[in-house]
Structure formats: structure tokens, C-alpha cells
């Protein structure tokens, strides 16, 4: 029998127990940086060195982090489901846990691209400095979707959510659009689950189970529920 399609929307909360700080749990300061100074196109124009420093710092943090049990359970679920992950996270912890299908809505910390040609994308492990150039001679910038920028992968994500047999949300405050709007594309009748240490607000959803626990506490419980409906 074909596996059911389990579509997952994940956010910073799934990586919190790996030691990566979420944004909205940290008083508007991200590791001590004001978001408007480091994660907008205006910030990049004003002070690109500061923006690079911020992402260099975050890249080192992610490198030192390990996937936690919630990432691992999602990878294990591939044995029973066609698991499709849509993540707002720029870390690679889903992939390192073994998840095969991961769509990064907000970009990836281990990629850089030309600031003038978005199709020139490069893998990057270490730090990036002012003067590091892409093949078109332009400065390299983080391959990140900043606030106020369009989200190129949103249409793909919408199609995935529309085609889900089961939909789950883990570790996101659902306040940043368009990602937050994905919830409303899930077919109305399918089973839906939210795991979060503080369940976020959604429009009323039919067939929704809320698990108000941290990701590593909630995912083992959710796995049991999912195996009952596989
Ligand atoms: N387990 C489960 N959920 C947790 C945990 C945990 N250990 N710790 C925090 N959370 C939950 C919080 O309750 C909150 O609902 O994770 C969510 C984190 O919310 P945000 O910090 O707003 O993260 P996210 O929703 O991913 O942010 C969306 O905004 O910061 C920008 O572009 C960035 O992709 C990001 C987007």
C-alpha cells in the first residue's frame, strides 16, 4: 500500500533543544543582535560587514549543534510515511537527522549567493568576509530570505500542504507570513497536529490535536498517534 503523505511545517522551536535560540523567545534580540540591523535588505545596504558577522556567528552555532530526538523521530517516520518537511529554519538539523525531503522556506545557513544574481548559489562551511566574490564578480551574501523579501519557495510549499494526507506543525509561533498562512491550505478533513511548548494561535481547524509540550517531549507522543493512522 502506498505510504500516506505526512507534511510537516517546522520552526525554530524544533531546534531549541539542540541549543539554537528561537527568535521570539529572546526579547527581539537574536543572540544580542537587533533583527532590523542584521536581517533586512536595508541592513545589508547599510552595514554588510555586520550582517556577515551575524550569519558567520550563527553558522558556527549551527555547526556545533546536533539534531535532537524530534528531528530524529521525523526522520524515522519516513519508514512509515512519505514525509515532506517544510521548514522555516535555516539550520540543517533535519537533513543531518536523515530527513530526505526538506524544503527550506527561509534559506539555508550553509549556502551563500551572489548579491546580484540569485541563481549563483554556493555551499559554504566557514566565514564569509567583505570582498568574497561570486563568479559574476559580485559580493557574496547569505542565502537567506530576509524580512521584507519575497519567499520564492512558498508556491511549492502550498502545493505540498494541499496534497497532504496528514499535516503537522512543530515549534513555530505562526506569526511570520507567508509561512504562517500554510496552515490554512491543509485539506479540511485530514488529521492535523500541533506540537509546541506554547500552542500558537490558528484559525479554527477541523480534526486538530494539540500537544502542548516541548519538541522532544511531544514528538514521541505524536509518533504513537501517527502510527495508529498510518
Ligand atoms: N519545543 C517546542 N516548541 C518550542 C520550544 C521547544 N523546546 N521552544 C520554543 N518553542 C516554540 C515557541 O513556543 C514558539 O511557538 O517555538 C516557537 C518559536 O517561535 P519563533 O521564535 O517565532 O520561530 P519561528 O516561528 O520559526 O519564526 C519564523 O521568523 O525569526 C524569523 O525568519 C525567521 O524563520 C523564522 C521566522
Amino acid at each position: 500500500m502506498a505510504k500516506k503523505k505526512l507534511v510537516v511545517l517546522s520552526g525554530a522551536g524544533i531546534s531549541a533543544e539542540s541549543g539554537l535560540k528561537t527568535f521570539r523567545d529572546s526579547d527581539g534580540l537574536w543572540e544580542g543582535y537587533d533583527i532590523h540591523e542584521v536581517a533586512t535588505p536595508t541592513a545589508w545596504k547599510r552595514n554588510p560587514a555586520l550582517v556577515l558577522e551575524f550569519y558567520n556567528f550563527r553558522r558556527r552555532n549551527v555547526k556545533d549543534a546536533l539534531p535532537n530526538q524530534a528531528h530524529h523521530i521525523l526522520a524515522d517516520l519516513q519508514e512509515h510515511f512519505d514525509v515532506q518537511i517544510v521548514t522555516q529554519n535555516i539550520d540543517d538539523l533535519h537533513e543531518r537527522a536523515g530527513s530526505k525531503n526538506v524544503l527550506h522556506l527561509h534559506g539555508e545557513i550553509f549556502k551563500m549567493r551572489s548579491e546580484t544574481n540569485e541563481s549563483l548559489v554556493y555551499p559554504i562551511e566557514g566565514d564569509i568576509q567583505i570582498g568574497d566574490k561570486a563568479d559574476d564578480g559580485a559580493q557574496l551574501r547569505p542565502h537567506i530570505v530576509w524580512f521584507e523579501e519575497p519567499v520564492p519557495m512558498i508556491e511549492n510549499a502550498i502545493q505540498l500542504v494541499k496534497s497532504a494526507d496528514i499535516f503537522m506543525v512543530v515549534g513555530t509561533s505562526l506569526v511570520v507570513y507567508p509561512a504562517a498562512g500554510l496552515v490554512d491550505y491543509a485539506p479540511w478533513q485530514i488529521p492535523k497536529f500541533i506540537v509546541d511548548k506554547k500552542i500558537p494561535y490558528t484559525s479554527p481547524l477541523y480534526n486538530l490535536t494539540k500537544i502542548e509540550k516541548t519538541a522532544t517531549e511531544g514528538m514521541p507522543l505524536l509518533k504513537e498517534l501517527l502510527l495508529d493512522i498510518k
Side-chain angles (χ1 to χ4, degrees):
M1 210 170 67
K3 291 174 177 171
K4 286 186 179 163
K5 190 186 280 188
L6 170 62
V7 177
V8 182
L9 174 63
S10 71
I14 195 170
S15 297
E17 288 160 285
S18 293
L20 301 177
K21 279 224 178 81
T22 68
F23 173 50
R24 280 163 199 87
D25 290 326
S26 43
D27 298 330
L29 283 185
W30 216 342
E31 307 284 2
Y33 292 84
D34 178 339
I35 199 65
H36 302 289
E37 303 292 330
V38 289
T40 66
T42 315
W44 177 243
K45 279 206 196 83
R46 191 168 45 215
N47 193 346
L50 181 70
V51 173
L52 291 179
E53 175 191 294
F54 172 66
Y55 286 101
N56 287 340
F57 171 77
R58 290 190 67 194
R59 196 173 304 107
R60 284 183 232 127
N61 264 354
V62 172
K63 232 187 216 172
D64 290 342
L66 291 172
N68 64 48
Q69 207 195 345
H71 299 103
H72 285 299
I73 286 177
L74 284 178
D76 294 346
L77 284 169
Q78 293 173 122
E79 193 185 323
H80 305 284
F81 297 94
D82 169 13
V83 180
Q84 302 283 336
I85 299 177
V86 175
T87 188
Q88 297 165 85
N89 299 343
I90 62 176
D91 67 53
D92 63 346
L93 298 184
H94 284 303
E95 287 91 339
R96 275 198 266 151
S99 285
K100 301 284 179 237
N101 306 307
V102 186
L103 182 158
H104 285 271
L105 269 183
H106 294 164
E108 295 174 66
I109 190 75
F110 292 112
K111 289 185 180 167
M112 299 292 288
R113 71 167 188 260
S114 158
E115 70 170 339
T116 55
N117 181 348
E118 62 190 39
S119 63
L120 290 176
V121 180
Y122 308 90
I124 179 81
E125 286 282 321
D127 289 358
I128 285 284
Q129 313 296 346
I130 297 295
D132 291 340
K133 302 273 170 62
D135 289 332
D136 63 353
Q139 172 67 40
L140 285 173
R141 62 159 273 181
H143 187 54
I144 302 287
V145 177
W146 287 324
F147 292 103
E148 300 159 23
E149 289 191 314
V151 179
M153 297 303 281
I154 194 67
E155 193 51 45
N156 301 47
I158 289 172
Q159 294 313 322
L160 273 178
V161 175
K162 279 184 170 174
S163 66
D165 297 308
I166 303 168
F167 180 60
M168 61 168 284
V169 174
V170 50
T172 168
S173 58
L174 294 176
V175 296
V176 172
Y177 281 80
L182 286 171
V183 171
D184 293 313
Y185 287 97
W188 73 271
Q189 78 283 7
I190 67 169
K192 303 172 190 74
F193 302 89
I194 298 187
V195 179
D196 200 292
K197 76 172 188 194
K198 186 167 175 288
I199 298 290
Y201 171 79
T202 62
S203 49
L205 295 172
Y206 179 72
N207 215 349
L208 173 67
T209 304
K210 299 174 185 176
I211 301 179
E212 192 160 69
K213 294 200 176 292
T214 73
T216 65
E217 290 165 358
M219 284 302 301
L221 303 175
L222 179 50
K223 183 178 176 184
E224 294 307 311
L225 297 178
L226 288 172
L227 292 181
D228 280 344
I229 56 172
K230 77 176 196 281

